[in-house]
Coordinates of all heavy atoms in Angstrom, one line a residue:
M101 N -43.5 -6.7 -1.2 CA -42.6 -6.9 -2.4 C -41.2 -7.1 -1.9 O -40.7 -6.4 -1.0 CB -42.7 -5.7 -3.3 CG -42.0 -5.9 -4.5 SD -42.6 -4.7 -5.7 CE -41.5 -4.6 -6.8
V102 N -40.6 -8.1 -2.5 CA -39.2 -8.5 -2.0 C -38.2 -8.0 -3.0 O -38.4 -8.2 -4.2 CB -39.1 -10.0 -1.9 CG1 -37.6 -10.3 -1.5 CG2 -40.1 -10.5 -0.9
D103 N -37.2 -7.2 -2.6 CA -36.2 -6.7 -3.5 C -35.1 -7.8 -3.6 O -34.6 -8.3 -2.6 CB -35.5 -5.5 -2.9 CG -36.5 -4.2 -3.0 OD1 -37.4 -4.3 -4.0 OD2 -36.4 -3.3 -2.2
T104 N -34.8 -8.1 -4.8 CA -33.8 -9.1 -5.1 C -32.5 -8.4 -5.5 O -32.6 -7.5 -6.4 CB -34.2 -10.2 -6.1 OG1 -34.5 -9.6 -7.2 CG2 -35.4 -10.9 -5.5
V105 N -31.4 -8.8 -5.0 CA -30.2 -8.2 -5.4 C -29.5 -9.1 -6.3 O -29.3 -10.4 -6.0 CB -29.3 -7.9 -4.1 CG1 -28.0 -7.4 -4.5 CG2 -30.0 -7.0 -3.2
P106 N -29.1 -8.7 -7.5 CA -28.4 -9.6 -8.4 C -27.1 -10.1 -7.9 O -26.4 -9.3 -7.1 CB -28.2 -8.8 -9.7 CG -28.3 -7.4 -9.3 CD -29.2 -7.4 -8.1
S107 N -26.7 -11.3 -8.1 CA -25.4 -11.9 -7.5 C -24.4 -11.2 -8.3 O -24.4 -10.9 -9.5 CB -25.4 -13.4 -7.7 OG -25.4 -13.6 -9.2
P108 N -23.3 -10.9 -7.6 CA -22.1 -10.2 -8.2 C -21.5 -11.2 -9.2 O -21.4 -12.4 -9.0 CB -21.2 -9.9 -7.0 CG -21.6 -10.8 -5.9 CD -23.0 -11.1 -6.1
M109 N -21.0 -10.6 -10.3 CA -20.3 -11.4 -11.3 C -18.9 -11.7 -10.9 O -18.2 -10.9 -10.3 CB -20.4 -10.7 -12.7 CG -21.7 -10.4 -13.1 SD -21.7 -9.8 -14.8 CE -21.0 -11.2 -15.7
P110 N -18.4 -12.9 -11.2 CA -17.1 -13.2 -10.8 C -16.1 -12.5 -11.7 O -16.5 -12.0 -12.8 CB -16.9 -14.7 -11.1 CG -18.0 -15.0 -12.1 CD -19.1 -14.0 -11.8
P111 N -14.9 -12.1 -11.3 CA -14.0 -11.4 -12.1 C -13.6 -12.1 -13.4 O -13.6 -13.4 -13.4 CB -12.8 -11.2 -11.2 CG -12.9 -12.3 -10.2 CD -14.4 -12.6 -10.1
P112 N -13.4 -11.5 -14.5 CA -13.1 -12.1 -15.7 C -11.8 -12.8 -15.7 O -10.8 -12.3 -15.0 CB -13.1 -11.0 -16.8 CG -12.8 -9.7 -16.0 CD -13.4 -10.0 -14.6
I113 N -11.6 -13.8 -16.4 CA -10.3 -14.6 -16.4 C -9.5 -14.1 -17.6 O -10.0 -14.0 -18.8 CB -10.5 -16.1 -16.7 CG1 -11.3 -16.6 -15.5 CG2 -9.3 -16.8 -16.9 CD1 -11.8 -18.1 -15.6
V114 N -8.4 -13.5 -17.4 CA -7.5 -13.0 -18.3 C -6.3 -13.8 -18.6 O -5.5 -14.0 -17.6 CB -7.1 -11.5 -18.0 CG1 -6.2 -10.9 -18.9 CG2 -8.3 -10.6 -17.7
E115 N -6.1 -14.3 -19.8 CA -4.9 -15.1 -20.1 C -3.8 -14.1 -20.6 O -4.2 -13.3 -21.6 CB -5.2 -16.2 -21.1 CG -6.1 -17.2 -20.5 CD -6.4 -18.3 -21.5 OE1 -5.6 -18.5 -22.4 OE2 -7.5 -19.0 -21.3
R116 N -2.7 -14.2 -20.1 CA -1.6 -13.3 -20.6 C -0.6 -14.1 -21.5 O -0.2 -15.2 -21.2 CB -0.9 -12.7 -19.4 CG -1.9 -11.8 -18.7 CD -1.2 -11.0 -17.6 NE -2.2 -10.2 -16.9 CZ -2.0 -9.3 -16.1 NH1 -0.7 -8.9 -15.9 NH2 -3.0 -8.6 -15.5
A117 N -0.2 -13.4 -22.6 CA 0.8 -14.0 -23.4 C 2.1 -13.8 -22.8 O 2.4 -12.8 -22.0 CB 0.8 -13.3 -24.8
P118 N 3.1 -14.7 -23.1 CA 4.5 -14.5 -22.5 C 5.1 -13.1 -23.1 O 4.9 -12.7 -24.1 CB 5.3 -15.7 -23.0 CG 4.5 -16.2 -24.2 CD 3.0 -15.9 -23.9
A119 N 5.8 -12.6 -22.2 CA 6.5 -11.3 -22.6 C 7.5 -11.5 -23.6 O 8.2 -12.5 -23.6 CB 7.1 -10.7 -21.3
P120 N 7.7 -10.6 -24.6 CA 8.7 -10.7 -25.7 C 10.1 -10.6 -25.0 O 10.2 -9.9 -24.0 CB 8.4 -9.7 -26.6 CG 7.6 -8.7 -25.8 CD 6.9 -9.4 -24.8
A121 N 11.1 -11.3 -25.6 CA 12.4 -11.2 -25.2 C 12.9 -9.7 -25.4 O 12.6 -9.1 -26.4 CB 13.3 -12.2 -26.0
V122 N 13.7 -9.2 -24.5 CA 14.2 -7.9 -24.5 C 15.6 -7.9 -25.0 O 16.5 -8.8 -24.5 CB 14.2 -7.3 -23.1 CG1 14.8 -5.8 -23.2 CG2 12.7 -7.2 -22.6
L123 N 15.9 -7.2 -26.1 CA 17.3 -7.2 -26.6 C 18.1 -6.1 -25.9 O 17.8 -5.0 -25.7 CB 17.3 -6.9 -28.0 CG 16.6 -8.0 -29.0 CD1 16.7 -7.4 -30.4 CD2 17.4 -9.2 -28.8
L124 N 19.2 -6.6 -25.3 CA 20.1 -5.7 -24.6 C 21.1 -5.2 -25.7 O 21.3 -5.8 -26.8 CB 20.8 -6.4 -23.4 CG 19.9 -6.8 -22.4 CD1 20.7 -7.6 -21.3 CD2 19.2 -5.7 -21.8
P125 N 21.8 -4.0 -25.4 CA 22.7 -3.6 -26.4 C 23.9 -4.6 -26.8 O 24.3 -4.5 -27.9 CB 23.4 -2.3 -25.7 CG 22.3 -1.9 -24.7 CD 21.6 -3.2 -24.3
D126 N 24.2 -5.4 -25.9 CA 25.2 -6.4 -26.3 C 24.7 -7.5 -27.3 O 25.4 -8.1 -28.0 CB 25.7 -7.2 -25.0 CG 26.4 -6.2 -24.0 OD1 26.9 -5.1 -24.6 OD2 26.5 -6.5 -22.9
D127 N 23.3 -7.7 -27.2 CA 22.7 -8.7 -28.1 C 22.4 -8.2 -29.5 O 22.2 -8.9 -30.4 CB 21.4 -9.2 -27.5 CG 21.6 -9.9 -26.1 OD1 22.8 -10.4 -25.9 OD2 20.6 -9.9 -25.4
I128 N 22.5 -6.9 -29.7 CA 22.2 -6.3 -31.1 C 23.4 -6.5 -31.9 O 24.5 -6.1 -31.6 CB 21.7 -4.8 -30.9 CG1 20.5 -4.8 -30.0 CG2 21.5 -4.2 -32.2 CD1 20.1 -3.4 -29.7
A129 N 23.1 -6.9 -33.2 CA 24.2 -7.2 -34.1 C 24.6 -5.7 -34.7 O 23.8 -4.9 -34.8 CB 23.7 -8.0 -35.2
P130 N 25.9 -5.6 -35.1 CA 26.4 -4.3 -35.6 C 25.7 -4.1 -37.0 O 25.2 -5.0 -37.6 CB 27.8 -4.5 -35.8 CG 28.0 -5.9 -35.8 CD 27.0 -6.6 -35.0
D131 N 25.6 -2.9 -37.4 CA 25.0 -2.5 -38.6 C 25.8 -3.2 -39.8 O 27.0 -3.1 -39.9 CB 24.9 -1.0 -38.9 CG 24.0 -0.3 -38.0 OD1 23.1 -1.1 -37.5 OD2 24.1 0.8 -37.6
E132 N 25.1 -3.9 -40.6 CA 25.8 -4.5 -41.8 C 25.1 -4.0 -43.1 O 23.9 -3.6 -43.0 CB 25.5 -6.1 -41.7 CG 26.1 -6.7 -40.5 CD 25.8 -8.2 -40.4 OE1 25.1 -8.7 -41.3 OE2 26.2 -8.9 -39.5
P133 N 25.8 -3.9 -44.1 CA 25.2 -3.4 -45.4 C 24.0 -4.4 -45.8 O 24.2 -5.5 -45.5 CB 26.4 -3.4 -46.3 CG 27.4 -4.3 -45.8 CD 27.2 -4.3 -44.3
A134 N 23.1 -3.8 -46.3 CA 22.0 -4.6 -46.8 C 22.4 -5.5 -47.9 O 23.1 -5.0 -48.9 CB 20.8 -3.6 -47.2
P135 N 22.0 -6.7 -48.0 CA 22.4 -7.6 -49.1 C 21.6 -7.2 -50.3 O 20.5 -6.6 -50.3 CB 21.9 -8.9 -48.6 CG 20.8 -8.7 -47.6 CD 21.2 -7.4 -46.9
D136 N 22.2 -7.5 -51.4 CA 21.6 -7.2 -52.8 C 20.3 -8.1 -52.9 O 20.3 -9.3 -52.6 CB 22.5 -7.5 -53.9 CG 23.7 -6.6 -53.9 OD1 23.5 -5.4 -53.5 OD2 24.8 -6.9 -54.4
L137 N 19.3 -7.4 -53.3 CA 18.0 -8.2 -53.4 C 17.9 -8.8 -54.7 O 18.2 -8.2 -55.8 CB 16.9 -7.2 -53.2 CG 16.8 -6.5 -51.8 CD1 15.6 -5.5 -51.8 CD2 16.6 -7.5 -50.8
A138 N 17.6 -10.1 -54.7 CA 17.5 -10.8 -56.0 C 16.2 -10.4 -56.7 O 16.1 -10.6 -58.0 CB 17.4 -12.3 -55.7
I139 N 15.2 -9.8 -56.0 CA 14.0 -9.4 -56.8 C 14.3 -8.3 -57.8 O 13.6 -8.2 -58.8 CB 13.0 -8.8 -55.6 CG1 12.7 -10.0 -54.7 CG2 11.8 -8.3 -56.3 CD1 11.9 -9.6 -53.5
A140 N 15.3 -7.5 -57.6 CA 15.6 -6.4 -58.4 C 16.1 -6.9 -59.8 O 15.9 -6.3 -60.8 CB 16.6 -5.4 -57.8
S141 N 16.7 -8.1 -59.8 CA 17.2 -8.6 -61.0 C 16.2 -9.5 -61.8 O 16.5 -9.8 -62.9 CB 18.5 -9.4 -60.7 OG 18.1 -10.5 -60.0
V142 N 15.0 -9.7 -61.2 CA 14.0 -10.5 -62.0 C 13.3 -9.6 -62.9 O 12.8 -8.5 -62.6 CB 13.0 -11.0 -60.9 CG1 11.9 -11.8 -61.6 CG2 13.7 -12.0 -59.9
P143 N 13.2 -10.0 -64.2 CA 12.5 -9.1 -65.1 C 11.0 -9.1 -64.9 O 10.4 -10.1 -64.4 CB 12.8 -9.7 -66.5 CG 13.1 -11.2 -66.2 CD 13.7 -11.1 -64.8
D144 N 10.4 -8.0 -65.2 CA 8.9 -7.8 -65.0 C 8.2 -8.5 -66.1 O 8.4 -8.2 -67.3 CB 8.6 -6.4 -64.9 CG 7.1 -6.2 -64.5 OD1 6.4 -7.2 -64.1 OD2 6.6 -5.0 -64.5
P145 N 7.3 -9.6 -65.8 CA 6.7 -10.3 -66.9 C 5.7 -9.5 -67.7 O 5.3 -9.8 -68.8 CB 6.0 -11.5 -66.1 CG 5.8 -11.0 -64.8 CD 7.0 -10.1 -64.5
F146 N 5.2 -8.3 -67.1 CA 4.3 -7.6 -67.8 C 4.9 -6.5 -68.7 O 4.2 -5.8 -69.4 CB 3.3 -6.8 -66.7 CG 2.6 -7.8 -65.9 CD1 2.9 -8.0 -64.6 CD2 1.5 -8.6 -66.4 CE1 2.2 -8.9 -63.8 CE2 0.8 -9.5 -65.7 CZ 1.2 -9.7 -64.4
M147 N 6.2 -6.3 -68.6 CA 6.8 -5.4 -69.5 C 7.2 -6.0 -70.8 O 7.8 -7.0 -70.7 CB 8.1 -4.7 -68.8 CG 7.7 -3.9 -67.5 SD 6.8 -2.5 -67.9 CE 7.9 -1.5 -68.7
A148 N 6.8 -5.4 -71.8 CA 7.1 -5.9 -73.2 C 8.6 -5.5 -73.6 O 9.0 -4.4 -73.2 CB 6.1 -5.5 -74.2
D149 N 9.3 -6.4 -74.3 CA 10.6 -6.1 -74.7 C 10.4 -5.1 -76.0 O 11.5 -4.5 -76.3 CB 11.3 -7.3 -75.2 CG 11.6 -8.2 -73.9 OD1 11.7 -7.6 -72.8 OD2 11.8 -9.4 -74.0
E150 N 9.3 -5.1 -76.6 CA 9.1 -4.2 -77.7 C 8.9 -2.8 -77.4 O 8.2 -2.5 -76.3 CB 8.0 -4.7 -78.6 CG 8.0 -6.2 -78.9 CD 6.7 -6.7 -79.5 OE1 5.7 -6.0 -79.5 OE2 6.7 -7.9 -79.9
P151 N 9.3 -1.9 -78.1 CA 8.9 -0.4 -77.9 C 7.3 -0.2 -78.0 O 6.8 -0.9 -78.8 CB 9.7 0.4 -78.8 CG 10.0 -0.5 -79.9 CD 10.1 -1.9 -79.3
A152 N 6.8 0.7 -77.3 CA 5.4 1.0 -77.4 C 5.1 1.6 -78.7 O 5.8 2.4 -79.3 CB 5.0 2.0 -76.3
V153 N 4.0 1.3 -79.3 CA 3.5 1.7 -80.6 C 2.8 3.0 -80.4 O 1.9 3.1 -79.5 CB 2.7 0.7 -81.3 CG1 2.2 1.2 -82.7 CG2 3.5 -0.6 -81.5
A154 N 3.1 4.1 -81.1 CA 2.4 5.3 -81.0 C 0.9 5.1 -81.5 O 0.7 4.5 -82.5 CB 3.0 6.4 -81.8
R155 N 0.0 5.6 -80.8 CA -1.5 5.5 -81.1 C -1.8 6.6 -82.1 O -1.5 7.7 -81.9 CB -2.3 5.6 -79.9 CG -2.2 4.4 -79.0 CD -3.1 4.5 -77.8 NE -4.4 4.6 -78.3 CZ -5.5 4.9 -77.5 NH1 -5.3 4.9 -76.2 NH2 -6.6 5.0 -78.0
G156 N -2.5 6.2 -83.1 CA -3.0 7.2 -84.1 C -4.5 7.4 -83.8 O -5.1 6.8 -82.9
F157 N -5.1 8.2 -84.6 CA -6.5 8.5 -84.5 C -7.3 7.5 -85.4 O -7.4 7.5 -86.6 CB -6.9 9.9 -85.0 CG -6.5 10.9 -84.0 CD1 -5.3 11.7 -84.3 CD2 -7.2 11.1 -82.9 CE1 -4.9 12.6 -83.4 CE2 -6.8 12.1 -81.9 CZ -5.7 12.9 -82.2
G158 N -7.7 6.4 -84.8 CA -8.4 5.4 -85.4 C -9.9 5.5 -85.3 O -10.4 6.5 -84.6
F159 N -10.7 4.7 -86.0 CA -12.2 4.8 -86.0 C -12.7 4.7 -84.6 O -13.5 5.4 -84.0 CB -12.7 3.8 -86.9 CG -14.2 3.7 -86.9 CD1 -15.0 4.6 -87.6 CD2 -14.8 2.8 -86.1 CE1 -16.4 4.6 -87.6 CE2 -16.3 2.7 -86.1 CZ -17.0 3.6 -86.8
E160 N -12.1 3.7 -83.8 CA -12.6 3.4 -82.5 C -12.2 4.5 -81.5 O -13.0 4.8 -80.6 CB -12.0 2.1 -82.0 CG -12.6 1.6 -80.7 CD -12.0 0.2 -80.3 OE1 -11.7 -0.6 -81.2 OE2 -12.0 -0.1 -79.1
D161 N -11.1 5.1 -81.7 CA -10.6 6.2 -80.9 C -11.5 7.4 -81.0 O -12.0 8.0 -80.0 CB -9.2 6.5 -81.1 CG -8.6 7.5 -80.1 OD1 -9.0 7.3 -78.9 OD2 -7.9 8.4 -80.5
I162 N -11.9 7.7 -82.2 CA -12.7 8.9 -82.5 C -14.1 8.7 -82.1 O -14.7 9.5 -81.3 CB -12.5 9.3 -84.0 CG1 -11.1 9.8 -84.3 CG2 -13.5 10.4 -84.4 CD1 -10.9 10.0 -85.8
F163 N -14.7 7.6 -82.6 CA -16.1 7.4 -82.5 C -16.4 6.7 -81.1 O -17.6 6.7 -80.7 CB -16.8 6.6 -83.6 CG -16.9 7.4 -84.9 CD1 -15.9 7.3 -85.8 CD2 -17.9 8.3 -85.1 CE1 -15.9 8.0 -87.0 CE2 -18.0 9.1 -86.2 CZ -17.0 8.9 -87.2
G164 N -15.5 6.2 -80.5 CA -15.8 5.5 -79.2 C -15.4 6.3 -78.0 O -16.0 6.1 -77.0
R165 N -14.5 7.3 -78.2 CA -14.1 8.0 -76.9 C -14.3 9.5 -77.2 O -14.9 10.2 -76.3 CB -12.6 7.7 -76.6 CG -12.4 6.3 -76.2 CD -11.0 6.1 -75.6 NE -10.0 6.9 -76.2 CZ -8.9 7.1 -75.6 NH1 -8.5 6.6 -74.4 NH2 -7.9 7.9 -76.2
R166 N -13.7 10.0 -78.2 CA -13.7 11.5 -78.3 C -15.1 12.1 -78.8 O -15.4 13.2 -78.2 CB -12.6 11.9 -79.3 CG -11.2 11.5 -78.8 CD -10.1 12.1 -79.7 NE -8.8 11.6 -79.3 CZ -8.1 12.2 -78.4 NH1 -8.4 13.3 -77.8 NH2 -6.9 11.6 -78.1
L167 N -15.7 11.5 -79.7 CA -16.9 12.1 -80.2 C -18.0 12.1 -79.1 O -18.8 13.2 -79.0 CB -17.4 11.3 -81.5 CG -18.6 11.9 -82.2 CD1 -18.3 13.3 -82.7 CD2 -19.1 10.9 -83.3
P168 N -18.3 11.0 -78.4 CA -19.3 11.2 -77.4 C -19.0 12.2 -76.3 O -19.9 12.8 -75.8 CB -19.3 9.7 -76.7 CG -18.7 8.8 -77.7 CD -17.8 9.6 -78.5
I169 N -17.7 12.4 -75.9 CA -17.4 13.4 -75.0 C -17.8 14.8 -75.5 O -18.4 15.6 -74.8 CB -16.0 13.3 -74.6 CG1 -15.7 12.1 -73.8 CG2 -15.5 14.6 -73.8 CD1 -14.2 11.8 -73.5
W170 N -17.4 15.1 -76.8 CA -17.7 16.4 -77.3 C -19.2 16.5 -77.6 O -19.8 17.6 -77.4 CB -16.9 16.6 -78.7 CG -15.6 17.0 -78.5 CD1 -14.5 16.2 -78.5 CD2 -15.1 18.3 -78.2 NE1 -13.3 16.9 -78.2 CE2 -13.7 18.2 -78.0 CE3 -15.7 19.5 -78.0 CZ2 -12.9 19.4 -77.7 CZ3 -14.9 20.6 -77.6 CH2 -13.6 20.5 -77.5
A171 N -19.8 15.5 -77.9 CA -21.4 15.6 -78.2 C -22.0 15.9 -76.8 O -23.0 16.6 -76.7 CB -21.8 14.3 -78.7
G172 N -21.6 15.3 -75.7 CA -22.1 15.6 -74.4 C -21.9 17.1 -74.0 O -22.8 17.6 -73.4
G173 N -20.8 17.5 -74.3 CA -20.4 18.9 -73.9 C -21.3 19.9 -74.7 O -21.8 20.8 -74.1
V174 N -21.5 19.6 -76.0 CA -22.3 20.5 -76.8 C -23.7 20.3 -76.3 O -24.5 21.4 -76.3 CB -22.2 20.1 -78.3 CG1 -23.3 20.8 -79.2 CG2 -20.8 20.4 -78.8
T175 N -24.3 19.2 -76.0 CA -25.6 19.0 -75.5 C -25.8 19.8 -74.2 O -26.8 20.4 -74.1 CB -25.9 17.5 -75.3 OG1 -25.6 16.8 -76.5 CG2 -27.3 17.3 -74.8
L176 N -24.8 19.7 -73.3 CA -25.0 20.5 -72.0 C -25.0 22.0 -72.4 O -25.8 22.8 -71.7 CB -23.9 20.2 -71.1 CG -24.0 18.8 -70.4 CD1 -22.7 18.5 -69.6 CD2 -25.2 18.7 -69.6
A177 N -24.2 22.5 -73.3 CA -24.2 23.9 -73.6 C -25.6 24.3 -74.2 O -26.1 25.4 -73.8 CB -23.1 24.2 -74.6
V178 N -26.1 23.6 -75.1 CA -27.4 23.9 -75.7 C -28.5 23.8 -74.6 O -29.4 24.7 -74.6 CB -27.7 23.0 -76.9 CG1 -29.1 23.1 -77.4 CG2 -26.7 23.2 -78.0
A179 N -28.5 22.8 -73.8 CA -29.5 22.7 -72.6 C -29.4 23.9 -71.7 O -30.4 24.4 -71.3 CB -29.3 21.4 -71.9
G180 N -28.2 24.4 -71.5 CA -28.1 25.5 -70.6 C -28.6 26.8 -71.2 O -29.3 27.6 -70.5
F181 N -28.3 26.9 -72.6 CA -28.9 28.1 -73.3 C -30.5 28.0 -73.3 O -31.1 29.1 -73.0 CB -28.4 28.1 -74.7 CG -29.0 29.2 -75.6 CD1 -28.7 30.5 -75.4 CD2 -30.0 28.8 -76.5 CE1 -29.2 31.4 -76.2 CE2 -30.6 29.8 -77.3 CZ -30.2 31.1 -77.1
L182 N -31.0 26.9 -73.5 CA -32.5 26.7 -73.6 C -33.1 26.9 -72.3 O -34.3 27.4 -72.2 CB -32.8 25.4 -74.2 CG -32.5 25.2 -75.7 CD1 -32.8 23.8 -76.2 CD2 -33.2 26.3 -76.5
I183 N -32.6 26.5 -71.2 CA -33.2 26.6 -69.8 C -33.2 28.0 -69.5 O -34.1 28.5 -68.8 CB -32.6 25.7 -68.9 CG1 -33.5 25.5 -67.7 CG2 -31.2 26.2 -68.3 CD1 -33.2 24.4 -66.7
V184 N -32.1 28.8 -69.8 CA -32.2 30.3 -69.5 C -33.2 30.9 -70.3 O -33.9 31.8 -69.8 CB -30.7 30.8 -69.7 CG1 -30.8 32.3 -69.7 CG2 -29.7 30.3 -68.7
K185 N -33.3 30.6 -71.6 CA -34.3 31.2 -72.5 C -35.7 30.9 -72.0 O -36.6 31.8 -71.9 CB -34.2 30.7 -73.9 CG -35.1 31.2 -74.9 CD -34.9 30.7 -76.3 CE -36.0 31.2 -77.3 NZ -37.3 31.1 -76.9
Y186 N -35.9 29.7 -71.6 CA -37.3 29.3 -71.1 C -37.5 30.0 -69.7 O -38.7 30.5 -69.5 CB -37.3 27.8 -70.7 CG -38.6 27.4 -70.1 CD1 -39.8 27.3 -70.8 CD2 -38.6 27.0 -68.7 CE1 -41.0 26.9 -70.1 CE2 -39.8 26.6 -68.1 CZ -40.9 26.6 -68.8 OH -42.1 26.2 -68.1
S187 N -36.6 30.2 -68.8 CA -36.8 30.9 -67.6 C -37.1 32.4 -67.9 O -37.8 33.0 -67.1 CB -35.7 30.8 -66.6 OG -34.5 31.3 -67.2
I188 N -36.5 33.0 -68.9 CA -36.8 34.4 -69.2 C -38.2 34.5 -69.8 O -39.0 35.4 -69.5 CB -35.8 34.9 -70.2 CG1 -34.4 35.1 -69.5 CG2 -36.2 36.3 -70.8 CD1 -33.2 35.4 -70.5
D189 N -38.6 33.6 -70.6 CA -39.9 33.5 -71.3 C -41.0 33.3 -70.2 O -42.1 33.9 -70.3 CB -40.1 32.5 -72.3 CG -39.3 32.8 -73.6 OD1 -38.8 33.9 -73.7 OD2 -39.0 31.9 -74.4
A190 N -40.7 32.5 -69.1 CA -41.7 32.2 -68.1 C -41.7 33.3 -67.1 O -42.6 33.4 -66.2 CB -41.3 30.9 -67.4
G191 N -40.8 34.3 -67.1 CA -40.8 35.4 -66.2 C -40.0 35.1 -64.9 O -40.2 35.9 -63.9
L192 N -39.2 34.1 -64.9 CA -38.5 33.7 -63.7 C -37.2 34.6 -63.6 O -36.8 34.9 -62.5 CB -38.1 32.3 -63.6 CG -39.4 31.3 -63.6 CD1 -38.9 29.8 -63.7 CD2 -40.1 31.5 -62.3
L193 N -36.6 34.9 -64.7 CA -35.4 35.7 -64.8 C -35.8 37.0 -65.7 O -36.6 36.9 -66.6 CB -34.3 35.0 -65.5 CG -33.7 33.8 -64.6 CD1 -32.6 33.2 -65.5 CD2 -33.2 34.3 -63.3
Y194 N -35.1 38.1 -65.4 CA -35.3 39.2 -66.2 C -34.2 39.4 -67.1 O -33.0 39.2 -66.7 CB -35.5 40.5 -65.3 CG -36.7 40.4 -64.3 CD1 -36.4 40.1 -62.9 CD2 -37.9 40.5 -64.7 CE1 -37.5 39.9 -62.1 CE2 -39.0 40.3 -63.9 CZ -38.8 40.1 -62.5 OH -39.9 39.9 -61.7
P195 N -34.4 39.9 -68.4 CA -33.3 40.1 -69.3 C -32.4 41.1 -69.0 O -32.1 41.9 -68.3 CB -34.0 40.3 -70.6 CG -35.5 40.5 -70.4 CD -35.7 40.2 -69.0

């Protein structure tokens, strides 16, 4: 049996980017006040000029959001009571 030695791989070719310019203290500009930004004076297109209207309790608010939350809470409370009662009746918990 002949042992074959794999040929060595050539070294990888690495391309280097040019070095960034180094700023010396003489090249740095003195501190200047920041210019006023024009962005701050542009009005926001999503903000309405009208004052916000206070929300009342409408049909959709009551039956669409609040009632299902309360119904779910009551359902969980009743289910908790019934599962404890069932576990006592089945002998899993003692009164």
Side-chain angles (χ1 to χ4, degrees):
M101 185 160 159
V102 178
D103 291 331
T104 60
V105 178
S107 62
M109 296 189 65
I113 299 172
V114 178
E115 294 182 21
R116 297 187 183 197
V122 177
L123 294 176
L124 299 175
D126 296 337
D127 298 336
I128 299 174
D131 291 335
E132 297 176 2
D136 293 333
L137 298 176
I139 297 173
S141 62
V142 175
D144 189 5
F146 298 109
M147 296 296 294
D149 294 335
E150 308 168 354
V153 178
R155 291 182 54 183
F157 288 103
F159 178 81
E160 187 175 335
D161 189 40
I162 292 173
F163 288 98
R165 294 191 326 160
R166 297 187 186 270
L167 186 65
I169 292 172
W170 280 99
V174 169
T175 303
L176 287 175
V178 170
F181 173 76
L182 290 177
I183 199 164
V184 169
K185 182 183 179 305
Y186 174 75
S187 63
I188 291 172
D189 291 342
L192 299 173
L193 294 177
Y194 300 106

